[in-house]
Amino acid sequence: MKFTVLGSTGFIGRRLVLHLQNHGFEVETPPRDVEDLRGKNLGHVIYAIGLTANFRRQPLAAIEAHVNVLNKLIEGADFESWLYLSSTRVYG
């Protein structure tokens, strides 16, 4: 089974990648600045991109990470499932 973890360098994403790899799953970790995922078989996507630090002082940056980037990446992507995973409220 294949997983694509977006936000794989963050606190949660990094641990999620290790967990999936330790259980024998194939894991893709596109770079943080990936702009387009069209034409790639992504398998099961876990979206862990977000803004946690200073999200109250940077509301537009939080919207960019949690909504706009998501919208851009999901458009035209080939995936089996898409899990939106956000921890921002944990830090609030």
Side-chain angles (χ1 to χ4, degrees), residues 24-41:
F25 294 109
E26 176 186 356
V27 182
E28 294 289 328
T29 57
R32 183 172 181 84
D33 60 350
V34 66
E35 293 192 16
D36 195 346
L37 295 172
R38 296 171 205 252
K40 299 177 177 122
N41 176 12

Side-chain angles (χ1 to χ4, degrees), residues 50-51 54-56 58-68 84 88:
L51 178 70
N54 299 321
F55 70 92
R56 283 196 173 113
Q58 299 177 350
L60 296 179
I63 291 169
E64 179 67 22
H66 291 277
V67 179
N68 298 341
Y84 177 87
T88 297

Side-chain angles (χ1 to χ4, degrees), residues 33-86:
D33 60 350
V34 66
E35 293 192 16
D36 195 346
L37 295 172
R38 296 171 205 252
K40 299 177 177 122
N41 176 12
L42 304 174
H44 300 280
V45 178
I46 301 174
Y47 185 88
I49 294 173
L51 178 70
T52 56
N54 299 321
F55 70 92
R56 283 196 173 113
R57 288 189 298 256
Q58 299 177 350
L60 296 179
I63 291 169
E64 179 67 22
H66 291 277
V67 179
N68 298 341
V69 172
L70 169 67
N71 184 56
K72 187 171 35 173
L73 293 178
I74 202 169
E75 185 178 345
D78 178 20
F79 56 92
E80 292 182 50
S81 67
W82 193 292
L83 173 65
Y84 177 87
L85 179 62
S86 173

